[in-house]
Amino acid sequence: MIDPNELFYPAIDLLRRLIAIPSISREESATADLIADYLQENGHAPHRVANNVWAIAEGFTPGRTTILLNSHHDTVQPVEGWKGEAFHAREENGYLYGLGSNDAGASLVSLLHAFLVLASRPQPYNLIFLASAEEEVSGKNGVELALKELPPITFGVVGEPTGMRPAIGEKGLMVLDCRVAGVSGHAARNEGVNAIYEALPVIEEFRKFSFPKVSRLLGPVKLTITQIKAGTQHNVIPDCCEFVVDVRTNELYSNEEVFDLLREAIPCTIIPRSFRLNSSRIDREHPFIQRTTLLGLEPFGSPTLSDQALMPFTTVKIGPGQSTRSHTAGEYIETEEIRQAIDIYTRLLDGLKL
């Protein structure tokens, strides 16, 4: 059997190597190669589709409970503030800096090494580790593609920076493209119908709209207009005003239900880009959540989206680091957070019966 404490330094070394390899969403081939090689070096046969890599612990038994350990190895584009240092893994005073260190490299290496520990011990379940791609863009060649290749999953642990608190609920996402029509004309004359003016009261309706069901865990459905476009030149009355609405759904509505309510209530053309990314939730009485409670880890509801939204089985989001560090210049993880995460993941999952 493997001692979790023995894997701290290998985990830090692997994270350093991952940071040093650019792995922007849809460009993760090199980090996928590294993860596959690392699994093989540690005695596990890697499988791969596109840039998703997974391993199945020895002793897989069809029909038995199957637990998935998942995190992603893609990153966002480096912001300007990195000044060329995004892919330079720098360790200083117990902090490891670099793009993807917090989101979600720390979770990935912690789950991978917890997998190595758990796979070395008899477990009452099948165990799979999956390093997925395209999470930052909710791409169709990420976890959604990989799950088609995996055996049926009973329960998933999704590694994202939560300070090792279990996110027992997560808001979904729907993006709406909206359009208000007008009639073009010359701006110098009193003619036409200005689509911008027509759109103003519609935008105000979106701003004031509220859904009756408010979640105790995740709060209300949130609507935010984030982009607007109208007009072709200064002297032409615009005949079209287009805007984008970012919708964050709670677990009390499906994305389709939210769309139907908005379409009935607001007088404009509304086109959803996708219904794929629904809210998710796990019961507080679930055996995994009960174990987190015993360890003093406080559950919470997460406003941010993850690959949970694409998993058609019970999941929980939990991982080292803090969401506020993600996507920022100077992103970092405390190395001690990784040591603790490997230990906590192991304690939560070792011998777990579902």
Side-chain angles (χ1 to χ4, degrees), residues 241-315:
C241 182
E242 299 172 327
F243 54 94
V244 175
V245 184
D246 178 288
V247 183
R248 302 290 168 154
T249 51
N250 62 31
E251 81 283 10
L252 303 179
Y253 294 96
S254 69
N255 286 347
E256 289 94 335
E257 290 171 331
V258 166
F259 169 69
D260 288 341
L261 288 169
L262 290 172
R263 184 174 57 180
E264 292 173 7
I266 298 182
C268 72
T269 300
I270 306 175
I271 300 174
R273 294 184 186 177
S274 168
F275 293 132
R276 295 164 62 224
L277 305 173
N278 283 288
S279 177
S280 59
R281 185 173 184 180
I282 184 172
D283 195 284
R284 289 177 181 268
E285 301 306 311
H286 189 279
F288 182 92
I289 301 304
Q290 289 184 326
R291 284 197 173 191
T292 65
T293 301
L294 291 173
L295 292 182
L297 305 173
E298 183 182 356
F300 75 107
S302 174
T304 58
L305 189 75
S306 75
D307 275 342
Q308 275 187 291
L310 298 170
M311 296 181 180
F313 45 83
T314 302
T315 56

Side-chain angles (χ1 to χ4, degrees), residues 335-346:
T335 55
E336 186 60 27
E337 291 177 299
I338 293 176
R339 184 196 300 275
Q340 293 171 356
I342 297 171
D343 178 64
I344 290 172
Y345 281 140
T346 302

Side-chain angles (χ1 to χ4, degrees), residues 6-84:
E6 296 175 0
L7 298 181
F8 170 64
Y9 291 109
I12 297 298
D13 180 64
L14 177 60
L15 181 53
R16 282 176 166 274
R17 294 164 66 190
L18 288 168
I19 291 170
I21 302 172
S23 56
I24 310 303
S25 299
R26 300 192 175 100
E27 300 174 8
E28 318 96 337
S29 180
T31 48
D33 291 342
L34 173 58
I35 293 164
D37 289 345
Y38 193 85
L39 287 166
Q40 190 152 23
E41 290 166 7
N42 282 274
H44 293 275
H47 305 267
R48 180 169 178 171
V49 60
N51 291 326
N52 306 284
V53 178
W54 69 92
I56 301 174
E58 192 173 317
F60 181 90
T61 304
R64 191 165 64 158
T65 295
T66 299
I67 294 178
L68 176 70
L69 309 183
N70 164 251
S71 191
H72 64 94
H73 61 104
D74 64 311
T75 72
V76 295
Q77 293 277 357
V79 296
E80 188 175 335
W82 274 111
K83 297 180 179 177

Side-chain angles (χ1 to χ4, degrees), residues 72-324:
H72 64 94
H73 61 104
D74 64 311
T75 72
V76 295
Q77 293 277 357
V79 296
E80 188 175 335
W82 274 111
K83 297 180 179 177
E85 295 186 350
F87 307 112
H88 173 62
R90 176 172 61 89
E91 189 171 353
E92 183 178 315
N93 299 323
Y95 294 78
L96 180 59
Y97 296 87
L99 179 62
S101 56
N102 179 76
D103 183 16
S107 291
L108 186 139
V109 300
S110 298
L111 280 171
L112 192 160
H113 289 86
F115 169 81
L116 297 180
V117 175
L118 295 164
S120 74
R121 306 173 180 180
Q123 300 296 343
Y125 52 78
N126 301 318
L127 184 63
I128 302 174
F129 168 78
L130 168 64
S132 52
E134 299 191 9
E135 190 273 346
E136 295 290 1
V137 293
S138 298
K140 292 192 175 183
N141 288 321
V143 72
E144 200 169 19
L145 178 64
L147 289 177
K148 296 176 183 177
E149 306 294 325
L150 298 181
I153 306 298
T154 310
F155 173 61
V157 177
V158 178
E160 291 281 351
T162 69
M164 290 308 290
R165 293 174 59 198
I168 60 173
E170 176 184 87
K171 279 198 168 180
L173 169 65
M174 181 170 55
V175 180
L176 303 176
D177 291 306
C178 302
R179 184 178 185 273
V180 175
V183 178
S184 63
H186 198 297
R189 294 189 291 271
N190 188 24
E191 61 185 32
V193 178
N194 193 317
I196 295 176
Y197 297 158
E198 296 295 303
L200 290 175
V202 175
I203 289 171
E204 183 66 9
E205 286 195 48
F206 271 105
R207 191 180 73 83
K208 291 183 175 180
F209 192 91
S210 62
F211 293 85
K213 298 178 185 177
V214 177
S215 168
R216 293 177 61 186
L217 181 66
L218 297 173
V221 175
K222 187 174 185 295
L223 305 176
T224 307
I225 293 176
T226 55
Q227 293 175 284
I228 189 166
K229 176 184 177 183
T232 56
Q233 58 190 63
H234 77 89
N235 57 352
V236 178
I237 300 294
D239 62 358
C240 177
C241 182
E242 299 172 327
F243 54 94
V244 175
V245 184
D246 178 288
V247 183
R248 302 290 168 154
T249 51
N250 62 31
E251 81 283 10
L252 303 179
Y253 294 96
S254 69
N255 286 347
E256 289 94 335
E257 290 171 331
V258 166
F259 169 69
D260 288 341
L261 288 169
L262 290 172
R263 184 174 57 180
E264 292 173 7
I266 298 182
C268 72
T269 300
I270 306 175
I271 300 174
R273 294 184 186 177
S274 168
F275 293 132
R276 295 164 62 224
L277 305 173
N278 283 288
S279 177
S280 59
R281 185 173 184 180
I282 184 172
D283 195 284
R284 289 177 181 268
E285 301 306 311
H286 189 279
F288 182 92
I289 301 304
Q290 289 184 326
R291 284 197 173 191
T292 65
T293 301
L294 291 173
L295 292 182
L297 305 173
E298 183 182 356
F300 75 107
S302 174
T304 58
L305 189 75
S306 75
D307 275 342
Q308 275 187 291
L310 298 170
M311 296 181 180
F313 45 83
T314 302
T315 56
V316 63
K317 181 167 70 178
I318 179 172
Q322 299 293 339
S323 181
T324 52

